[in-house]
Amino acid sequence: MIGKTVTAAAMAVALLAPVVSVGSLDGTIASLQDRLRAVPDDWRSSASLGLAYVAQARVTGDPSWYPKAEGILARSLRVNADDNVEGMLGLGVLDLARHDFSAALRSGRRAAALDPHGAEAYGVIGDALLELGRYDRAFRAFQTMVDTRPDLSSYARVAYARELVGDVRGAERAMRMAFGAAGTPADAAWTAYQLGELAFGSGDVRSARGWYARGRELDPSYVPNLAGLAKVAWARGDDGLAVERFTDVVSRYPSAEFVVALADLYRATGRQVLAEQQDDVVRAMHALASESGVNVDLELALFDADHGDPAGALAAARAEWGRRQSVHVADAYAWALYANGRFARASTLAERALALGTRNALFLFHAGMIRFELGDEQGARRCLSAALATNPNFSIQHADAAAITLARLEVGR
């Protein structure tokens, strides 16, 4: 029975985020491996082990777990290819983690066909559709998931959908429902971080700090809440504390997002050599992810556009736009075009990025700088004002540039 016992927990964490400790996953993985040594054809345990490997990759930030997950999930489906819902869901979760969203959609639909009443399949389907830019269908899938099983995972997806369409208050309400549905301190710590991110993204540093701190109290091992507190320190002007906290974060949880933040902090405080060292770490992390089957073109497009490789940024953005046309890819493509001086085409893509009404200060900054280069001072002023009104601390690298450019426009006006 161990395979069935572990499936629910492994599925929840793999579908949602790293909300369990490394220690508990280590125990789960060891138990499943023991089970499969004793009963090699236990396809349910193989599927559960594959999901646990995906969860381990997220918890540790180590993508080398993904090929292991692929192998054990393939083994599960070889033993039972007919009604193996767990194995098919596992493939969908793995595809999502590797950013192969078309494959994830196929796997999710197959899982839903095998079990039309399973909420997890609609989570996979909705996530895949969302990343592919098929928003109406994604939102319907999330609604089906909520109707099937209202819980932390489904409420969190509703929150993200509402945030995408600019309904930040609705997103906060849904995420508070997710917080209320959290079954463990680890679940609650993850949800507190999401609430902190919503608050920080809306410019409410005080509320963000409260949620990040609460998440730290609930589960000190969940590192992103410390990263949130590092952002709060930077927003409040304490660069030294921000560097200290981000250094602690990246030593414990090597996420490219947090390493980039540390690099940008070093650069902003005049420590160019240390910044370049962190840039090299980010490039190595992207290479490792790619070797493990993860598509990182979206991340590469933004990173290269901001860090001196405009040609690489444009190549990555074009490749990703050919796969999916979401608002996030539209924004990255626009910024890559901007870095290459192709402002007219960039403007079209920037408008696509804002088409849902997403209140994302970085999207607005990108659009404003593109309009500025096109000589559209009114449009640039509108976008940059909106970016800073939404969140004056939206980017360690770009917030000052937004304020300076807007000040220049106001003087010219």
Side-chain angles (χ1 to χ4, degrees), residues 12-33:
V13 67
L15 272 171
L16 190 57
V19 294
V20 296
S21 67
V22 176
S24 67
L25 265 179
D26 287 342
T28 294
I29 289 170
S31 296
L32 287 166
Q33 289 172 335

Side-chain angles (χ1 to χ4, degrees), residues 341-391:
R342 299 183 56 183
F343 305 123
R345 174 65 173 148
S347 178
T348 301
L349 270 297
E351 290 174 8
R352 287 282 296 270
L354 295 168
L356 285 179
T358 311
R359 293 169 61 185
N360 183 309
L362 186 63
F363 287 10
L364 289 161
F365 166 73
H366 289 162
M369 296 303 290
I370 291 164
R371 300 310 307 175
F372 180 75
E373 291 296 339
L374 286 170
D376 178 6
E377 293 189 1
Q378 183 178 355
R381 191 161 46 244
R382 182 181 65 252
C383 290
L384 293 174
S385 296
L388 292 169
T390 299
N391 180 13

